[in-house]
Amino acid sequence: MTVRTVLVTGATGKTGRRVAERLAARGVEVRAGSRSGPVRFDWEDPAGWGPALAGADAAYVNYHPDLAAPGAVEAMTAFGAAAAGAGVRRLTLLSGRGEPLAEAAEEALRAAAGVEPALVRASFFAQNFTEGLLAEGVRAGELVFPAGDTPEPFVDVADLADVVVETLRSDAHAGLVHELTGPRGVTFAEVAAELSRAWGHPVTYTPVEPGAYAELLAGFGLPRPEARWLAELFGTLLDGHNAEPTDGVKRVLGREPRSFARFLAEG
């Protein structure tokens, strides 16, 4: 199957933007789906999914906020049905590594779409410290997170995007699970030290319990139920079961993943 047109959901986010850029560079027509762009796509508005999918050969499925979130199974069932109705023949689904609750959503997409999606289960993003939830605090010199001293093999989103593009361009990945990590586990205290060296100003790591972190998020305006859910998710993911790195990036791309230090040095 030759992929000519790909719907990229979340095309203005960390992963979607990079996937869209790489696909376009390879001559693929990209439908950059977002809430505010020319191809309207909003996970809260299922009525728009069909028009966004119409005529697409493949889709990159990047569900917000997370496949382990309440409502994800229902969303994947509805999206899979929309993809099947549009004749989409190849899907790549971004999932979380070591998230048992996400597996039900993965299965819901497969069952509804009638095709075997490629599953990309990623570890914590290196870019979360520079682009996401933690970026503002880190720039101010403080990294507060419920991680204790558990190491995490942070994955560079550039590596993840390269893998996603390969899975979208080849049927060989249908039904496969790719677990993507960086080359080694790094603690949040080590992250703070790396950030301090790279940016030339001190960044201090302060570990907190999930409950306290939820209160902190709520204080920044996040709805309290979402804050509690997010803090509990982080606590679950960083309990040590995800500490060991995988060879997923190398198996797909034939090269080693970028380390956290290299990500900071090269951007």
Side-chain angles (χ1 to χ4, degrees):
M1 169 186 163
T2 300
V3 171
R4 296 182 176 86
T5 304
V6 177
L7 170 65
V8 176
T9 66
T12 58
K14 290 188 199 73
T15 69
R17 173 168 53 84
R18 291 171 171 88
V19 168
E21 290 170 352
R22 284 159 171 75
L23 287 170
R26 294 184 182 224
V28 177
E29 180 183 344
V30 176
R31 290 189 181 170
S34 70
R35 287 178 292 182
S36 57
V39 179
R40 179 164 173 77
F41 189 94
D42 185 346
W43 284 113
E44 299 297 322
D45 181 19
W49 301 351
L53 285 161
D57 304 305
Y60 171 52
V61 187
N62 175 17
Y63 179 70
H64 179 80
D66 190 274
L67 281 187
V73 170
E74 293 79 6
M76 289 300 99
T77 298
F79 182 85
V88 174
R89 293 171 289 166
R90 189 177 296 160
L91 297 170
T92 295
L93 175 62
L94 178 63
S95 189
R97 182 181 181 226
E99 291 187 32
L101 291 177
E103 294 179 17
E106 295 171 359
E107 174 57 24
L109 177 65
R110 186 202 65 76
V115 299
E116 294 288 344
L119 299 178
V120 175
R121 294 177 180 165
S123 62
F124 203 90
F125 298 162
Q127 278 78 357
N128 285 343
F129 300 100
T130 58
E131 298 178 23
L133 179 69
L134 302 172
E136 184 175 351
V138 166
R139 284 193 291 269
E142 188 171 24
L143 172 56
V144 179
F145 208 74
D149 58 0
T150 303
E152 170 72 6
F154 300 97
V155 66
D156 187 333
V157 175
D159 287 338
L160 185 153
D162 287 340
V163 169
V164 168
V165 168
E166 291 303 314
T167 65
L168 288 167
R169 297 180 70 246
S170 171
D171 281 327
H173 300 276
L176 297 184
V177 177
H178 298 302
E179 287 201 1
L180 306 185
T181 73
R184 71 177 185 90
V186 182
T187 68
F188 274 64
E190 290 172 327
V191 165
E194 292 279 7
L195 290 165
S196 299
R197 282 192 289 270
W199 292 354
H201 67 77
V203 177
T204 302
Y205 169 52
T206 303
V208 294
E209 293 300 316
Y213 191 66
E215 290 301 313
L216 181 65
L217 293 176
F220 283 111
L222 201 66
R224 197 168 295 275
E226 185 176 345
R228 285 197 298 266
W229 170 81
L230 196 57
E232 289 170 3
L233 176 65
F234 289 146
T236 299
L237 294 178
L238 293 163
D239 64 1
H241 76 282
N242 282 334
E244 289 299 315
T246 70
D247 64 349
V249 170
K250 186 174 183 178
R251 283 191 293 107
V252 178
L253 302 178
R255 60 170 174 77
E256 296 294 336
R258 293 207 302 174
S259 67
F260 188 81
R262 183 179 169 192
F263 152 68
L264 287 179
E266 298 178 359

